[in-house]
Amino acid sequence: MNNTKLSLGALFVSFLLKASLNIPMMYFLKFLGIDAYYGCVVTNAVVESITFIIVLLILKKKYQFKYKNMIVVLMKSLLCVALMISSLYLVSLIFNIDSQGRFMSIIYIIVYTLIGMIVYLFTAKRVGLFKDVLGVDTFKDFVKLLKH
């Protein structure tokens, strides 16, 4: 869609909102009895959601696209993420993660990354997420797309 002004504007507004809301959100969460460091996470989620909705509204007005297609892709993505998280949870139940050193922590991260990636990619392939998002159905087509 090549809409650089919209992208940079959304980025700038997002930055300003995060910078202005981070500290107040930390105080607010502390007041509620929640650890203050969650304020950054909450602020980020709120600001990104607001920015996302505004960008969607502007793009819908400009390009008249349908939200239905986007919702289908979103549901497929959420399914892939849910299956990945579930599989990683099952792995954590089977293998006790009680690493004492940096090396073992790195090994666990690598193993979990590989398992999560395999589950996500397999599920994405099965539900047709690659075709919906990238317009390609196989890895070979994806490599061809990158070469052009």
Side-chain angles (χ1 to χ4, degrees):
M1 290 184 207
N2 200 12
N3 204 337
T4 309
K5 283 184 182 178
L6 178 62
S7 300
L8 288 176
L11 181 68
F12 184 69
V13 168
S14 168
F15 174 75
L16 289 178
L17 284 173
K18 286 179 191 177
S20 62
L21 293 177
N22 252 341
I23 304 296
M25 187 63 74
M26 291 171 136
Y27 281 117
F28 179 68
L29 290 181
K30 186 178 178 183
F31 173 76
L32 293 177
I34 301 171
D35 291 331
Y37 58 83
Y38 286 116
C40 297
V41 176
V42 172
T43 300
N44 192 46
V46 168
V47 168
E48 291 303 324
S49 298
I50 290 170
T51 306
F52 180 71
I53 291 169
I54 290 171
V55 167
L56 282 180
L57 292 172
I58 291 171
L59 289 176
K60 178 157 178 68
K61 184 177 178 182
K62 188 170 185 174
Y63 296 107
Q64 291 84 32
F65 70 88
K66 305 284 185 237
Y67 288 126
K68 183 180 178 185
N69 297 338
M70 187 183 69
I71 291 173
V72 170
V73 172
L74 178 65
M75 289 299 137
K76 288 180 181 182
S77 296
L78 291 176
L79 173 68
C80 294
V81 169
L83 289 174
M84 178 184 69
I85 290 172
S86 300
S87 68
L88 292 175
Y89 179 71
L90 289 174
V91 169
S92 74
L93 292 177
I94 296 169
F95 299 107
N96 186 13
I97 301 175
D98 190 22
S99 63
Q100 296 296 323
R102 188 176 295 169
F103 180 73
M104 283 308 294
S105 295
I106 292 171
I107 297 298
Y108 282 129
I109 289 171
I110 291 170
V111 169
Y112 272 60
T113 301
L114 290 173
I115 291 170
M117 181 179 69
I118 290 168
V119 170
Y120 186 90
L121 292 175
F122 177 77
T123 308
K125 171 75 172 136
R126 298 291 291 173
V127 299
L129 189 59
F130 292 129
K131 184 76 172 163
D132 292 341
V133 174
L134 300 173
V136 296
D137 200 25
T138 64
F139 185 72
K140 290 177 187 175
D141 293 337
F142 179 67
V143 172
K144 287 180 188 174
L145 181 69
L146 290 177
K147 287 183 179 179
H148 291 295

